[in-house]
Amino acid sequence: MMTAPQDKTPRCGAQAAEPNRGPIRVAFIGNQDNCAFRLCRWLRAFGFDAHVYMHPDNLNQVRSRPVLMDRNFDITTCPWVHMYTDLNAPYPYFRKTPASRAIERDFDLVFTSGPSVMFGLQFDTIPVFHIGMGENAAIIPSVGWLDRKPLADKVTGFIYRRALLHTDRVFSGIWASLARLCKDLGIQGRVMFHIFPEDVRRNRSYVDADLLAELTARYADSNKVFLWLSRVNFQVERAGCTKRADVFLEAFARVAREGGDARAVVGSHGYDVEAFKARARELGVEDRIDYVEHLPFWKLMTYLSIPNAVVFDNLNPSEAPLGGLSREALSLGAPLVRAADLFYNAQVFGAEPPLTRASSVEECCSAMESFLALGPEDMAERRRRVSEWAETYLDFRECLTMRRIMAEIGTAVLAYRAMEQRYGHRCLRFRLGNAAIRPLLIAYRRAGEARSWLRQRLRRRNT
């Protein structure tokens, strides 16, 4: 069962949604890439009574463990992080469970993110918001019944589409496939495109002074150190996967051959690490590249703070929003090179982000050469300007996105309370529909399992 919410007393400075109702209570279901954990903490800073209910799978995903963001985190002592463990039955999202009933009773609004969108189907008396993220936003909901995909993907695609139809609001970076899917579903009016903010002060507080001094001394003999700490993906042609690390490598090798005084630091995680290393050997630059493991958050913040470092991120020209690594680099004042739609980013941030655009080998070479031409004073001034921009437009305390999210939460909660008082709940139609769908999906899955079993028997008989 689920851990009960704790610490329900109003926060100092909390703005109640209605007089005498206390602060707005928000429950996050799932924690893909620690998105819910961070947004929950920021809402609490603004006076919301927000809690995270982590799916057990989140603990098996390195990028989704809260300890990655906070090395002192302990789920047993944190009063606002709980486990969502009421998941025993097949397709639990199509029925009410003790866990979902408790959340509906104790909270005013539910936030899902990534694959946890399915659990939004359990809630029909409070608003459901969703944060569309990564491949789950871009690929899975588009899988239809007639696609040549495995049965499990077809069922999941159907559930995702139904869950998206159930949402009151979808927050997402610009994913063309998600935008088209929402248009096909007729819910494009519910989508708010945004870029996730950062806690600039907290990010800077994670920098380890001793490690930073060690790294500064290690790379002091190099003019610049070029960081590729994003996933090493370039052979997998899937939305959200292809980062074009090969473009970075080719550009670095060309600059190195021309005498550029630089080293590279590359994160050894992603689909194509071995292919990357093999190509580095072919290009003769293996001895100028340092490979590091998937860094915990505090160590990542420290690497991004190296005084002569330049950060390279996603070079895929189809990517419009700034991903986590790019935002974190900007929050530390690091010079950033990546593919980006500056017009789109200016709209969602309120000002054009201070980055260098590049998506081809030639553009990356040009960026590297321009940074190699900068002296220490110029780099320090560049970092200062980037830091000032981050404090004004990226930090959650000031940024446009956070204000819009909080306004949407308050508006939806007030609307539901008014609707409940005037008309009662909206739940009956959707609850009846879910009650009919769940046994059909179970029967469909069992029929698929029976077909697979029969094919295996026939193969054995023929052989």
Side-chain angles (χ1 to χ4, degrees):
M1 293 298 293
M2 176 186 66
T3 307
Q6 304 176 38
D7 190 19
K8 288 292 189 179
T9 56
R11 305 293 185 272
C12 179
Q15 295 295 316
E18 289 182 39
N20 305 320
R21 292 290 294 259
I24 293 177
R25 299 160 296 175
V26 180
F28 290 84
I29 309 297
N31 187 40
Q32 180 173 334
D33 296 350
N34 274 303
C35 175
F37 179 77
R38 291 191 291 170
L39 185 54
C40 181
R41 185 159 58 190
W42 299 339
L43 287 176
R44 292 177 69 84
F46 280 107
F48 289 78
D49 188 6
H51 294 247
V52 177
Y53 289 86
M54 293 180 57
H55 192 284
D57 288 349
N58 295 146
L59 299 180
N60 300 322
Q61 302 161 346
V62 174
R63 290 159 56 89
S64 300
R65 298 173 188 164
V67 73
L68 184 69
M69 308 297 301
D70 184 351
R71 53 179 165 175
N72 298 317
F73 174 80
D74 184 353
I75 194 172
T76 62
T77 59
C78 183
W80 48 273
V81 178
H82 323 279
M83 292 304 300
Y84 196 80
T85 55
D86 194 6
L87 306 168
N88 298 326
Y91 307 115
Y93 2 90
F94 284 109
R95 68 185 182 96
K96 295 286 185 180
T97 64
S100 65
R101 288 192 183 97
I103 289 175
E104 276 193 315
R105 182 188 66 240
D106 294 333
F107 290 91
D108 300 307
L109 182 141
V110 162
F111 249 109
T112 62
S113 60
S116 70
V117 64
M118 297 184 285
F119 291 95
L121 290 166
Q122 294 181 317
F123 307 101
D124 47 24
T125 64
I126 57 177
V128 177
F129 283 9
H130 177 62
I131 303 173
M133 301 178 63
E135 295 176 74
N136 296 292
I139 298 173
I140 297 176
S142 301
V143 177
W145 292 113
L146 300 180
D147 288 330
R148 300 183 66 180
K149 297 283 186 180
L151 171 64
D153 288 356
K154 295 179 181 180
V155 173
T156 303
F158 167 76
I159 296 171
Y160 271 42
R161 290 193 298 277
R162 186 165 177 83
L164 283 170
L165 282 168
H166 187 54
T167 59
D168 295 90
R169 212 76 168 104
V170 177
F171 300 90
S172 175
I174 289 287
W175 288 92
S177 51
L178 177 65
R180 179 172 180 176
L181 175 66
C182 290
K183 185 176 185 301
D184 292 342
L185 294 174
I187 62 171
Q188 64 269 35
R190 306 179 200 174
V191 180
M192 189 187 94
F193 293 111
H194 73 101
I195 289 182
F196 212 64
E198 290 292 325
D199 188 339
V200 172
R201 298 176 198 169
R202 196 178 188 94
N203 287 0
R204 295 173 183 174
S205 72
Y206 280 121
V207 176
D208 185 281
D210 293 335
L211 177 59
L212 180 58
E214 177 187 332
L215 294 171
T216 301
R218 182 186 304 171
Y219 295 109
D221 293 336
S222 299
N223 185 332
K224 295 294 181 295
V225 54
F226 298 133
L227 307 182
W228 181 277
L229 300 174
S230 188
R231 285 167 287 174
V232 180
N233 294 349
F234 57 91
Q235 295 179 328
V236 180
E237 292 294 336
R238 295 181 67 183
C241 284
T242 305
K243 304 291 185 180
R244 299 309 307 273
D246 56 326
V247 172
F248 168 80
L249 177 58
E250 297 288 339
F252 178 71
R254 185 180 299 181
V255 169
R257 285 195 299 269
E258 295 173 357
D261 180 16
R263 290 193 66 81
V265 176
V266 176
S268 56
H269 59 281
Y271 293 118
D272 304 315
V273 174
E274 294 307 317
F276 185 95
K277 291 180 178 179
R279 183 58 179 158
R281 287 192 292 271
E282 292 175 5
L283 294 171
V285 293
E286 185 181 25
D287 60 338
R288 301 183 68 165
I289 299 176
D290 299 324
Y291 295 97
V292 296
E293 77 281 2
H294 193 178
L295 300 173
F297 195 71
W298 68 272
K299 191 174 287 189
L300 173 63
M301 296 300 101
T302 307
Y303 268 81
L304 296 177
S305 301
I306 298 173
N308 60 340
V310 179
V311 179
F312 285 75
D313 196 9
N314 200 330
L315 299 172
N316 186 346
S318 67
E319 295 297 321
L322 299 190
L325 179 66
S326 293
R327 300 191 309 269
E328 289 151 7
L330 292 173
S331 75
L332 272 297
L336 174 66
V337 180
R338 61 159 293 145
D341 183 331
L342 293 182
F343 174 78
Y344 161 72
N345 285 285
Q347 301 307 306
V348 294
F349 279 124
E352 191 173 290
L355 58 84
T356 301
R357 292 175 63 187
S359 58
S360 66
V361 174
E362 290 72 22
E363 289 171 339
C364 281
C365 282
S366 177
M368 290 178 181
E369 290 167 355
S370 66
F371 280 109
L372 285 169
L374 296 180
E377 296 81 7
D378 295 326
M379 283 291 288
E381 175 62 19
R382 175 73 177 248
R383 295 187 73 98
R384 186 191 65 78
R385 292 199 306 268
V386 174
S387 294
E388 288 182 352
W389 181 91
E391 291 165 4
T392 304
Y393 297 104
L394 181 61
D395 188 76
F396 82 92
R397 300 168 186 85
E398 304 292 338
C399 73
L400 178 63
T401 291
M402 200 67 193
R403 294 198 297 270
R404 293 173 69 188
I405 289 175
M406 291 190 294
E408 293 291 341
I409 291 173
T411 301
V413 169
L414 287 173
Y416 265 69
R417 288 177 180 174
M419 183 171 62
E420 177 184 353
Q421 293 173 0
R422 180 66 178 85
Y423 300 108
H425 294 309
R426 66 165 184 170
C427 60
L428 182 60
R429 178 180 61 83
F430 218 86
R431 190 174 296 177
L432 290 175
N434 287 348
I437 287 171
R438 184 167 172 265
L440 289 175
L441 285 179
I442 293 173
Y444 187 77
R445 185 177 73 173
R446 288 177 178 168
E449 292 169 350
R451 285 195 301 271
S452 298
W453 177 84
L454 183 58
R455 289 195 196 100
Q456 291 174 0
R457 293 284 299 227
L458 291 174
R459 286 196 198 101
R460 290 192 193 125
R461 181 176 298 179
N462 292 335
T463 56

